Amino acid sequence: MSKLTDFYTHKASLLEKGEPIDAQWELLEDKLLKEELLPELIEQLKTVS
């Protein structure tokens, strides 16, 4: 999940500097969650059922 971690680190850095976060950040976050987190969750759920 390095891309997602990098995303949140960079986003936090921008927020600390007072930079605005626009809708593109939200779209990128959604994309990264779907690419990195969702497949991991699906694999974990497969082992539970």
Side-chain angles (χ1 to χ4, degrees), residues 1 4-5 8-9 11 15-17 20-21 24 27 29 33-34 37 39 41 43-45 47:
M1 282 194 246
L4 196 54
T5 302
Y8 284 125
T9 300
K11 184 177 177 182
L15 288 171
E16 284 179 11
K17 294 177 184 178
I21 301 297
Q24 291 217 10
L27 292 173
E29 183 177 21
L33 287 170
K34 288 176 185 173
L37 189 61
L41 288 173
E43 283 302 313
Q44 292 297 320
L45 288 172
T47 62

Side-chain angles (χ1 to χ4, degrees), residues 1-13 25 28 32 36:
M1 282 194 246
S2 64
K3 288 181 187 178
L4 196 54
T5 302
D6 290 345
F7 170 82
Y8 284 125
T9 300
H10 189 68
K11 184 177 177 182
S13 173
W25 280 94
L28 180 56
L32 290 172
E36 295 193 15

